Amino acid sequence: MRIRPVPSVTGALLVLALALPALGTPHAHARARQELPVTIGHRGVPAQAPENTLASIDRAAALGIRWVENDVQRTRDGQLVVLHDTTLERTTDARRRFPGRAPWKVGDFTLAEIETLDAGSWFDRRFAGERVPTLSSYLRRVDHNHQRLLLELKAPELYPGVEQQTVDALRQAGWLDRRHVKDRLVVQSFDAASLRTLHRLRPDVKKGFLGAPKTADLRSYAAFADQINPDHGNVTADWVRAVHALNGPHGHRLEIAAWTVDDPARAVRLGRLGVDAIISNAPHVIQAALAEESGEDPFAGVPPEPAAL
């Protein structure tokens, strides 16, 4: 997640990069220049559309957001779906449709059952009928939108073997070719063991550990993670320097994607601390604030909105 370097100008203006090229900025070079983070849509743009739906990533594309984040889980019959909570109650009408199935765990329902659920009305009646997407349909839409993906393995301890299954799904969707692996895909998780498993399966795929390990422990994470992605409240200048002082498994400087930041002023402060990316529920707001800070056009270089499917 290398960020475009900032030109040397009075007042240390910071430049926002809207595309995320491949990892690999040497640490010495990165320290010599100040950078602002790229914005990533947290579950799409949940400030404007129901999270983790195709409508949400379509909205992100329309707003010029080139990176989106999602969450992957597994149904009872072994299908991968995109959903954040490990239960269906909050973001679907599962309680009404299946009143006797509490607590409505994702892993207790088949794909056919989940595909009957309304995943949009809870957010706004305009999204009535929006469905929980399968991972395969989600990957196709991200590609169609010319977007890039930060994919989270959600609660992998609930779904043994999900790492291999996710790799298989990515391969089948064409996401493990050189173009995608180079600069369009990162897989992250709170579960270090899951990321180590993924690293054994596909050492070429970039990975992010969700959390803020102590400085003394960072080197062990650098053996399998290219990014250390903390809650933004845990980010300090000293911690950023400690992360950036290490190289990840691909020989490039470790990166930081902080979550979940919806306050523009906080985003600017994080940029000044040196984080590489910011994950936001309102990425268009954060992107605009960073651009205003830098004096840049927030949508420069963003391709036109893709045609509807």
Side-chain angles (χ1 to χ4, degrees):
M1 196 177 288
R2 188 174 59 204
I3 310 302
R4 197 180 347 168
V6 171
S8 178
V9 293
T10 304
L13 291 177
L14 306 175
V15 173
L16 167 69
L18 297 178
L20 289 168
L23 293 165
T25 304
H27 177 57
H29 175 77
R31 286 187 304 173
R33 301 187 182 234
Q34 201 170 11
E35 299 169 345
L36 272 179
V38 169
T39 51
I40 301 174
H42 185 231
R43 311 175 203 167
V45 186
Q48 295 193 4
E51 64 184 60
N52 270 329
T53 62
L54 299 185
S56 197
I57 56 174
D58 286 348
R59 186 60 186 151
L63 292 168
I65 304 303
R66 288 289 144 247
W67 276 85
V68 291
E69 182 264 359
N70 75 349
D71 305 273
V72 173
Q73 298 188 63
R74 190 166 66 203
T75 67
R76 190 178 73 189
D77 53 341
Q79 302 302 306
L80 297 181
V81 293
V82 176
L83 196 83
H84 175 267
D85 297 6
T86 56
T87 65
L88 296 159
E89 183 179 11
R90 181 176 65 87
T91 58
T92 77
D93 59 348
R95 174 191 281 269
R96 181 180 65 81
R97 292 187 59 85
F98 300 100
R101 302 277 293 276
W104 301 283
K105 294 180 180 178
V106 175
D108 288 345
F109 287 77
T110 66
L111 177 60
E113 290 172 328
I114 289 176
E115 287 183 329
T116 69
L117 299 176
D118 182 342
S121 292
W122 69 274
F123 183 85
D124 189 281
R125 69 181 66 180
R126 293 178 296 118
F127 296 99
E130 193 70 26
R131 301 304 178 194
V132 174
T134 62
L135 178 58
S136 60
S137 65
Y138 193 97
L139 291 171
R140 287 195 300 270
R141 186 63 64 89
V142 173
D143 249 349
H144 173 77
N145 289 349
H146 311 296
Q147 291 168 306
R148 300 169 181 187
L149 179 61
L150 177 59
L151 183 157
E152 180 180 343
L153 295 177
K154 190 71 178 181
E157 69 278 5
L158 299 178
Y159 311 112
V162 71
E163 298 85 7
Q164 181 65 67
Q165 189 174 6
T166 300
V167 166
D168 292 343
L170 288 166
R171 181 184 300 109
Q172 290 166 11
W175 273 74
L176 292 183
D177 63 5
R178 185 176 182 276
R179 180 174 67 96
H180 286 83
V181 168
K182 180 182 178 183
D183 64 1
R184 295 174 65 87
L185 174 67
V186 178
V187 179
Q188 65 176 359
S189 180
F190 285 97
D191 191 315
S194 183
L195 288 180
R196 290 189 187 97
T197 296
L198 183 66
H199 190 60
R200 288 195 297 272
L201 294 171
R202 289 295 302 219
D204 56 330
V205 171
K206 303 181 186 90
K207 301 161 194 77
F209 175 73
L210 282 161
K214 294 179 181 179
T215 299
D217 298 329
L218 286 171
R219 190 171 298 278
S220 64
Y221 290 89
F224 59 87
D226 303 278
Q227 300 174 2
I228 306 295
N229 298 342
D231 182 318
H232 73 91
N234 294 320
V235 176
T236 66
D238 286 344
W239 188 82
V240 169
R241 282 193 290 270
V243 174
H244 283 169
L246 296 171
N247 288 339
H250 294 101
H252 304 307
R253 177 179 69 88
L254 284 182
E255 298 172 335
I256 300 167
W259 49 270
T260 302
V261 184
D262 297 334
D263 174 27
R266 176 60 176 161
V268 170
R269 288 194 295 272
L270 287 166
R272 290 171 178 166
L273 288 175
V275 304
D276 302 285
I278 289 177
I279 302 169
S280 176
N281 293 317
H284 54 300
V285 174
I286 299 305
Q287 185 167 284
L290 297 173
E292 182 178 0
E293 170 77 5
S294 70
E296 291 287 305
D297 176 358
F299 302 110
V302 174
E305 183 180 353
L309 285 175

